[in-house]
Amino acid sequence: MVGRNALLLGFLHVILVIIQYAESSYPYPDGTGNRDLSIKASHFLRSNGVPPINALQAALTGRRSRIHHVTDYGADPTGRSDSTDALEQAIVDAFTSPVDGHLNEGVPNLGGSEVHLDGGTYMISRPLRLSDISGGNFMIHGGSLRASDDFSGNGHLIELRSSSSSPLYEYITLKELMLDSNFRGGGIAIINSIRTTVDNCYISHFTTTGISIQDGHETYIRNSFIGQHINIGGDDREKDFSGIGINITGNDNAVTDVVIFSASIGVMVQGQANMLTGIHCYNKATALGGTGIYIRAPGLTQTRVVNCYLDFTGIVAEDPVQLHVTGSFFLGNAFILLKSVKGVASGVNIVDNMFAGDYTGVPIVKLDQSNAPFKTVDQVVIDRNNVRGMVVKSTVARGSLWKNGTTWTLDFSKVLLFPNLIPHVHYALHAGSASSFPRHILRSVSRNRVTVQTDVVVSATVHVSVDQTTVGGHI
């Protein structure tokens, strides 16, 4: 047995000498040798002392894994010591992986290179930034990051931020991460990146933003949990919640199946053609000054809010143009506020939603005309919403009135959203058993009231349908 072990050790010595010669003789495409030779060699031995055949073959043929384990770089998975340098080196090495062609023009395909956090918790003292080298098809996953007490209050734990004005990153995935900003800045910043995915992440204790998206194209955030203070509602600190859960300043992004459980604003949208679906916002109640979804893209909104849950906190949209809100549930007097900037509302659909309140008279949709009155209203459809405990508001209304007389007035001011605006009226007069045929006329439409008049006294029912949906100009 002793002789066999001695023979095995001698064999390993020869193998390592061959590896060292091969590594020093054949540099990688980046012009350097293998930075982590000694680390790799240390992993060739299994617990029984037998080297894995495939690992030895890979080393002898010059192949190396594209999975970079941060513990191999000296990162502390207990979170007691600073791991910033080790994690940064792992990212740099991942971005110097052999290139498998290109993605978008000028973006090398890194072939699925990964930085694996090995299930540890790592303390970092500055933002982890991707290399200032263009690259794509790369992932960071599988662990936790926590900001140190001296972390910059203006930074984010992970930043896709380059010095180039053109996109350097494509198909970057941040997955299965728990990020604790330690009330020192934000969680993730994605700037001028293409086709980025944030999946199954838990981001907490931020002061600025949980996730910030600026420019770029097609960032997808899904299956994630974001909150400044960790709670499940009923937090005594709610009035002091601050920051933004997700801030989108760009076009063509999607947020799907995400919970925002504490922040002043759940999702801020400041770009066009974004999609929000399956979002549960109970970040900060409207009564305490919070907003679930704030759409700040006046004049060119083009945003869809579908199948979301606004939990005691609602939606604000400035000068909405092409805004679609449907299939969503508004609980606890949560409502939609259309805020006038220049007085424009066009192509707005608020349909097929559910609203539930406490019967204190809160409308499901409100207007904020403190800056300017809405003057251009076109194709605004608010209809088919079911409501309990709140006041129905709509852009279409119907009513009937029976009376014996010559004048019938139906008041729709409590239902119609826009004041003093009825461009379209349909009515019918049902005279029943009247002995003569009365002449009748639509006498007036004013202050959202409709008056129908006959030339003789008659016992009749007047049915009226009004519509603010289409104006097509200034009012």
Side-chain angles (χ1 to χ4, degrees):
M1 180 66 69
V2 174
R4 181 180 298 175
N5 287 340
L7 181 61
L8 177 59
L9 291 174
F11 172 75
L12 289 177
H13 176 74
V14 172
I15 291 298
L16 292 177
V17 170
I18 294 172
I19 294 172
Q20 288 174 340
Y21 175 77
E23 296 286 354
S24 61
S25 302
Y26 299 96
Y28 286 99
D30 59 3
T32 64
N34 188 1
R35 297 186 179 92
D36 53 353
L37 172 63
S38 61
I39 295 173
K40 289 182 178 179
S42 69
H43 287 276
F44 285 163
L45 296 179
R46 296 186 188 275
S47 59
N48 60 4
V50 179
I53 299 300
N54 57 352
L56 291 176
Q57 290 175 341
L60 289 172
T61 58
R63 298 197 301 262
R64 58 175 177 174
S65 172
R66 299 188 186 190
I67 301 177
H68 302 265
H69 295 271
V70 297
T71 51
D72 291 350
Y73 291 79
D76 177 10
T78 69
R80 296 189 184 95
S81 60
D82 192 330
S83 296
T84 311
D85 290 340
L87 270 62
E88 284 181 341
Q89 189 60 55
I91 292 173
V92 169
D93 284 2
F95 266 72
T96 57
S97 296
V99 174
D100 291 347
H102 286 75
L103 300 173
N104 198 51
E105 183 177 358
V107 180
N109 181 359
L110 302 179
S113 184
E114 301 177 12
V115 168
H116 201 309
L117 299 184
D118 299 312
T121 297
Y122 305 91
M123 181 176 66
I124 59 175
S125 55
R126 59 182 178 272
L128 293 180
R129 292 188 177 181
L130 296 195
S131 173
D132 214 14
I133 303 170
S134 183
N137 195 5
F138 164 74
M139 177 167 61
I140 301 175
H141 68 109
S144 303
L145 300 176
R146 179 172 57 85
S148 65
D149 291 338
D150 57 351
F151 191 93
S152 170
N154 296 322
H156 292 71
L157 291 176
I158 299 176
E159 295 184 354
L160 279 64
R161 183 194 302 268
S162 71
S163 59
S164 173
S165 59
S166 59
L168 291 186
Y169 313 121
E170 181 180 4
Y171 189 30
I172 305 296
T173 301
L174 306 175
K175 184 177 181 180
E176 295 167 359
L177 300 171
M178 186 166 187
L179 305 180
D180 182 351
S181 298
N182 193 25
F183 300 107
R184 304 288 304 169
I188 299 172
I190 302 168
I191 302 172
N192 206 14
S193 180
I194 302 173
R195 303 183 184 103
T196 304
T197 298
V198 178
D199 187 8
N200 193 24
C201 290
Y202 191 118
I203 302 171
S204 66
H205 299 153
F206 54 87
T207 54
T208 53
T209 55
I211 300 175
S212 177
I213 302 170
Q214 298 179 37
D215 301 321
H217 198 250
E218 294 171 345
T219 293
Y220 275 47
I221 302 171
R222 63 194 184 199
N223 306 324
S224 294
F225 305 91
I226 300 172
Q228 185 178 58
H229 298 273
I230 297 176
N231 65 80
I232 53 173
D235 196 318
D236 293 338
R237 301 164 294 184
E238 184 172 349
K239 66 181 187 332
D240 299 319
F241 288 172
S242 62
I244 301 172
I246 300 173
N247 191 1
I248 302 173
T249 307
N251 303 341
D252 303 347
N253 306 288
V255 181
T256 305
D257 298 332
V258 169
V259 176
I260 315 289
F261 54 84
S262 62
S264 179
I265 297 174
V267 181
M268 172 76 81
V269 179
Q270 302 183 81
Q272 292 75 47
N274 293 290
M275 178 72 174
L276 310 179
T277 180
I279 300 174
H280 181 191
C281 291
Y282 60 100
N283 46 292
K284 185 177 185 178
T286 298
L288 298 175
T291 304
I293 298 172
Y294 199 122
I295 303 169
R296 183 174 285 167
L300 190 59
T301 310
Q302 296 177 337
T303 294
R304 293 148 293 164
V305 180
V306 178
N307 195 30
C308 291
Y309 179 9
L310 284 301
D311 193 344
F312 282 78
T313 183
I315 296 175
V316 176
E318 296 184 355
D319 270 10
V321 174
Q322 291 195 309
L323 169 65
H324 188 64
V325 181
T326 189
S328 296
F329 178 39
F330 295 77
L331 178 67
N333 291 334
F335 60 87
I336 299 171
L337 179 68
L338 304 183
K339 185 174 183 178
S340 171
V341 177
K342 295 183 179 179
V344 178
S346 177
V348 178
N349 298 321
I350 302 174
V351 296
D352 300 323
N353 302 286
M354 296 189 299
F355 294 82
D358 60 4
Y359 295 89
T360 56
V362 178
I364 65 171
V365 183
K366 295 184 181 182
L367 300 179
D368 179 351
Q369 302 185 89
S370 57
N371 291 320
F374 279 102
K375 289 294 186 181
T376 301
V377 177
D378 181 42
Q379 300 178 77
V380 178
V381 180
I382 302 173
D383 195 17
R384 302 195 311 271
N385 300 294
N386 70 69
V387 182
R388 294 191 66 182
M390 298 179 71
V391 176
V392 175
K393 286 292 182 180
S394 180
T395 54
V396 298
R398 291 161 290 277
S400 299
L401 177 63
W402 176 89
K403 183 181 178 182
N404 184 45
T406 59
T407 304
W408 291 256
T409 299
L410 286 85
D411 187 353
F412 297 100
S413 61
K414 293 182 179 180
V415 177
L416 293 177
L417 178 64
F418 295 98
N420 197 26
L421 175 62
I422 299 180
H424 301 286
V425 178
H426 295 277
Y427 82 91
L429 187 144
H430 182 203
S433 59
S435 59
S436 61
F437 188 88
R439 290 180 293 179
H440 51 88
I441 188 173
L442 178 63
R443 175 59 66 187
S444 70
V445 177
S446 177
R447 294 178 295 174
N448 283 346
R449 296 175 180 174
V450 175
T451 299
V452 175
Q453 189 173 355
T454 59
D455 62 339
V456 296
V457 175
V458 63
S459 178
T461 300
V462 173
H463 305 277
V464 178
S465 174
V466 296
D467 188 352
Q468 294 183 328
T469 298
T470 301
V471 176
H474 294 279
I475 61 175

